[in-house]
Amino acid sequence: MAPVSLEKLTKVYPNGFEAVHEFDLEVADGEFMILVGPSGCGKTTAMRMVAGLEEISSGVLRIDGVVMNDVSPRDRDIAMVFQNYALYPHMTVGENIGFALKMKHIPKDEIEKKVRETAEILGLTEWIDRKPAQLSGGQRQRVAMGRAIVREPKVFLMDEPLSNLDAKLRVQMRAEVARIQRRLGVATIYVTHDQVEAMTMGDRVAVMRSGVVLQCDKPQTIYDHPLNLFVAGFMGSPSMNLFEVHLGEGGRTLFLGTQKVELPATVLAAKPSLVKFANKDVVVGIRPESLMIAGTKTNDNAKDFVFFEGDVDLVEALGSEILVHFSTDAHRVEAEGVYSDDAEGLDAGLITQRGEGVARVPPETQLVIGERVRLQVNPKRLFFFDPATGLALSE
Ligand SMILES: Nc1ncnc2c1ncn2[C@@H]1O[C@H](COP(=O)(O)OP(=O)(O)OP(=O)(O)O)[C@@H](O)[C@H]1O
Ligand SMILES: [Mg+2]
């Protein structure tokens, strides 16, 4: 039996706004479930309904099979860690962690033992007698987690617990939270709007937009088989390149702006439904890492590849790889509401409104800004979407 089960959970706020619409989710024992989506999509609202801090408008919430809709937050056996965690400033780390147990009148030596164990798990032993003001942001965040862990709840809810930390600490804590969750083995729902956290931390990811879960699956499955344009554009950094193209007669050619691109027969064989889009528009998606610069020595084995040209606008050498920003005269598709925290700087210097894209290439690639390059992609790596519905063509 799943420790947490949400069945058509819906929230309509008193002003009539529906923030969460028929949210279905089952979190298995020990599972680390990530809830991801852009700002305002209803993540916090969903968590607050599970925690009992927000009334459930309709639907059923069960914990260990027991309906919880009308059970008070205290009796749900849930612990929450929020973005704006509040520690008691006058208490030490140890006292902060043990506070919930003290309120339950648990014997003092038992509290001490639990606090010590928890501090050990979180790497806080050294700081156990310090006050929060003497701690770093990351340490404070761990104390906040400690206060949740010590209660040994059936379910953890974490709502963007790392968003107040600086980038470096965030990366470090990302791994640490995942490690602690595995060690404790408690069913966890972790909210983030950072798709890197979503990709790396959890067992499964639920991608949400406008109050609705669009796809819920293992992170790699979502990455490899996004069900629609939004999920395709949201998961992955830099985002998938999405262009609206015109498909030619019989679906054997496509027009990327003014460029005519030949499609090998294997493309149509793998996705026969493309034929329906012959002489129509279709959205093609290419992940940045699937694009290569044709003619560079790492990949002249290019038989059966698909080629097109782009103008190099910007080159970002990251050491381990190069991000090549290029433009074409095709129409670039913005999956509505797509954004990512990690996108800062990616668009810097790009003023052109032309069909821009990004390729991720090996660090030794020689590139000159302004030059025209030939790009190639393995046709197996092309995604296709129906522009009318945004749905992926799966076959
Ligand atoms: N009390 C309220 N009354 C009416 N609307 C509300 C209320 N609280 C939140 N909302 C709206 O519900 C929607 C979902 O809000 P929520 O806080 O759940 O989003 P979120 O996904 O957690 O966003 P973020 O990533 O910014 O934290 C938003 O459009 C918000 O404006
Ligand atoms: Mg929120």
Side-chain angles (χ1 to χ4, degrees):
M1 189 187 306
V4 195
S5 145
L6 286 65
E7 201 185 308
K8 294 199 179 342
L9 228 56
T10 296
K11 178 68 191 182
V12 182
Y13 280 113
N15 66 358
F17 182 75
E18 191 184 39
V20 175
H21 178 76
E22 301 193 347
F23 192 152
D24 286 323
L25 193 70
E26 299 252 314
V27 187
D29 214 2
E31 188 174 25
F32 197 165
M33 174 68 78
I34 306 279
L35 185 54
V36 69
S39 188
C41 72
K43 305 179 297 292
T44 296
T45 304
M47 286 308 90
R48 288 174 59 84
M49 282 196 284
V50 176
L53 303 172
E54 203 68 71
E55 201 187 322
I56 296 168
S57 304
S58 63
V60 184
L61 169 72
R62 289 187 182 85
I63 292 173
D64 264 352
V66 182
V67 176
M68 286 286 146
N69 290 47
D70 298 318
V71 173
S72 84
R74 285 207 328 240
D75 299 327
R76 290 191 185 191
D77 211 353
I78 282 176
M80 261 193 105
V81 183
F82 287 102
Q83 175 177 339
N84 297 308
Y85 49 93
L87 301 178
Y88 300 111
H90 57 285
M91 291 185 195
T92 64
V93 167
E95 286 163 349
N96 263 288
I97 293 176
F99 187 70
L101 303 180
K102 197 171 160 193
M103 296 314 283
K104 280 196 196 161
H105 305 290
I106 287 170
K108 216 171 161 197
D109 50 344
E110 204 174 310
I111 294 181
E112 260 172 39
K113 183 165 166 272
K114 281 233 169 90
V115 167
R116 241 183 295 120
E117 283 169 7
T118 307
E120 186 64 43
I121 291 172
L122 293 164
L124 285 170
T125 307
E126 249 180 272
W127 291 278
I128 204 148
D129 295 319
R130 288 219 197 158
K131 299 269 172 68
Q134 298 162 288
L135 300 176
S136 72
Q139 289 161 346
R140 271 182 233 160
Q141 188 57 49
R142 275 182 275 165
V143 178
M145 285 189 60
R147 300 198 345 176
I149 290 172
V150 79
R151 292 165 49 197
E152 298 177 5
K154 278 207 189 91
V155 182
F156 275 126
L157 303 179
M158 303 190 192
D159 191 351
E160 311 217 20
L162 309 184
S163 61
N164 284 346
L165 306 180
D166 65 50
K168 195 171 169 200
L169 196 53
R170 216 169 139 154
V171 172
Q172 193 185 324
M173 284 297 287
R174 191 156 82 200
E176 212 160 306
V177 170
R179 178 183 63 79
I180 292 163
Q181 195 277 342
R182 290 216 155 71
R183 172 154 173 194
L184 297 171
V186 174
T188 301
I189 308 179
Y190 181 103
V191 169
T192 179
H193 61 249
D194 178 335
Q195 47 75 35
V196 179
E197 287 182 15
M199 274 306 294
T200 55
M201 288 178 78
D203 300 310
R204 281 193 300 156
V205 182
V207 184
M208 217 178 160
R209 188 189 65 168
S210 308
V212 177
V213 175
L214 296 179
Q215 190 169 2
C216 179
D217 218 317
K218 294 193 181 99
Q220 195 65 44
T221 306
I222 290 185
Y223 193 81
D224 292 337
H225 306 283
L227 290 179
N228 55 55
L229 273 176
F230 176 80
V231 176
F234 190 79
M235 294 295 276
S237 176
S239 301
M240 184 187 286
N241 299 296
L242 296 166
F243 299 109
E244 190 162 52
V245 299
H246 190 77
L247 213 57
E249 193 64 45
R252 281 183 297 270
T253 48
L254 60 80
F255 293 88
L256 188 78
T258 52
Q259 297 185 55
K260 186 178 176 184
V261 180
E262 301 291 340
L263 290 182
T266 49
V267 174
L268 215 56
K271 287 200 169 56
S273 62
L274 259 184
V275 172
K276 283 188 285 185
F277 292 86
N279 300 314
K280 289 187 191 149
D281 289 344
V282 69
V283 175
V284 65
I286 310 170
R287 295 243 179 243
E289 65 270 27
S290 304
L291 277 170
M292 295 176 280
I293 308 283
T296 54
K297 72 169 178 289
T298 36
N299 52 60
D300 25 25
N301 193 359
K303 206 162 81 63
D304 286 340
F305 275 40
V306 170
F307 296 92
F308 62 95
E309 291 183 345
D311 297 324
V312 176
D313 290 330
L314 181 73
V315 175
E316 287 182 295
L318 300 178
S320 58
E321 63 192 17
I322 295 176
L323 297 182
V324 187
H325 296 252
F326 62 89
S327 52
T328 68
D329 62 356
H331 180 53
R332 182 179 170 94
V333 176
E334 294 298 339
E336 177 203 344
V338 172
Y339 84 91
S340 127
D341 259 13
D342 287 59
E344 21 172 298
L346 282 188
D347 290 334
L350 288 186
I351 24 174
T352 147
Q353 291 301 306
R354 297 193 295 155
E356 291 149 2
V358 181
R360 184 183 233 160
V361 302
E364 62 277 10
T365 314
Q366 298 292 323
L367 292 149
V368 178
I369 290 179
E371 78 173 318
R372 177 152 295 187
V373 289
R374 214 162 161 241
L375 295 151
Q376 69 180 50
V377 55
N378 182 337
K380 282 188 196 143
R381 305 252 163 227
L382 295 175
F383 293 84
F384 291 95
F385 303 88
D386 181 338
T389 60
L391 293 177
L393 307 187
S394 54
E395 50 190 33

